Amino acid sequence: MRPVVIVSACLLGQPVRYDGGDKSNTLVRKLLAERFDIFPLCPEAEAGLGIPRPPVQLVRNGEGMIEVLGVEQELDVTGALRDFSHRSIAQLVGRIDGAVLKSRSPSCGIGTTPLFDQERNQVAIDSGVFAQTLLVHMPRLPVIDEEQFSDETLRDAFLRSVEKQFATRDHIV
Ligand code: SF4
């Protein structure tokens, strides 16, 4: 058995982005495959939003709640993304040792995703819906994005944390 790491599927070269493209990252693919079992995951595709699909962004509504709305057309995928995130993460608890997620995504971003107001002015940065749910439900899980992963110091610390997580978790088979 090896540690298991979930990875944003677009970083692995899977054509799951809103425009049908990918964000293949050779460093992520190569270094993770050498040491870990990889579990690809695309929250937006798996939530049923389709490929291709209209682009979405995080928007703070009048009550201060964050929604995931269409960039160019009227569309609200907040419920679909939240439901998928809760369902999938409930199944992942105790089975994974780390996560490598795509930066700036309204689903996968870890504190790097633009947050807009109702007039669609950027007002802050936040985490995407899947990433936020993961951080809440698995607060000790080592998590990194592909930009941090390109930094050798951050990457080595992440890889060590994944090994440690694997060594200490109760393994569910
Ligand atoms: Fe899918 Fe996340 Fe990549 Fe967007 S960033 S395409 S939701 S895996």
Side-chain angles (χ1 to χ4, degrees):
M1 284 177 73
R2 302 198 302 172
V4 179
V5 174
I6 59 168
V7 183
S8 292
C10 57
L11 295 176
L12 299 171
Q14 296 188 9
V16 292
R17 295 192 78 224
Y18 73 92
D19 59 1
D22 66 68
K23 281 287 179 182
S24 181
N25 185 301
T26 304
L27 196 63
V28 167
R29 284 170 35 203
K30 183 171 178 301
L31 291 187
L32 292 183
E34 286 172 0
R35 301 168 66 152
F36 307 139
D37 288 345
I38 296 174
F39 185 102
L41 188 145
C42 175
E44 292 180 20
E46 293 181 44
L49 305 190
I51 307 169
R53 56 187 172 272
V56 293
Q57 60 189 183
L58 299 182
V59 179
R60 184 185 286 145
N61 69 17
E63 286 79 50
M65 304 290 290
I66 293 177
E67 299 178 316
V68 191
L69 305 180
V71 175
E72 295 154 0
Q73 65 189 69
E74 202 165 317
L75 179 70
D76 184 347
V77 299
T78 314
L81 270 179
R82 287 203 197 287
D83 287 351
F84 170 77
S85 299
H86 282 103
R87 268 188 285 115
S88 62
I89 290 167
Q91 294 182 345
L92 292 171
V93 171
R95 298 178 185 272
I96 59 174
D97 304 293
V100 182
L101 300 178
K102 174 73 184 70
S103 63
R104 295 193 291 276
S105 155
S107 300
C108 295
I110 314 160
T112 58
T113 305
L115 172 65
F116 297 86
D117 64 15
Q118 290 176 289
E119 284 71 47
R120 304 303 175 102
N121 301 307
Q122 186 178 338
V123 289
I125 55 170
D126 211 314
S127 294
V129 169
F130 178 82
Q132 181 69 45
T133 310
L134 188 66
L135 294 171
V136 167
H137 289 274
M138 302 179 72
R140 291 202 295 277
L141 188 75
V143 177
I144 195 170
D145 66 33
E146 84 287 4
E147 294 186 347
Q148 296 166 329
F149 197 86
S150 68
D151 179 297
E152 188 175 359
T153 303
L154 295 176
R155 180 173 69 242
D156 286 349
F158 170 78
L159 296 173
R160 280 196 305 276
S161 296
V162 171
E163 301 275 11
K164 191 172 166 194
Q165 177 85 5
F166 177 69
T168 56
R169 80 165 153 95
D170 290 330
H171 293 274
I172 299 170
V173 292

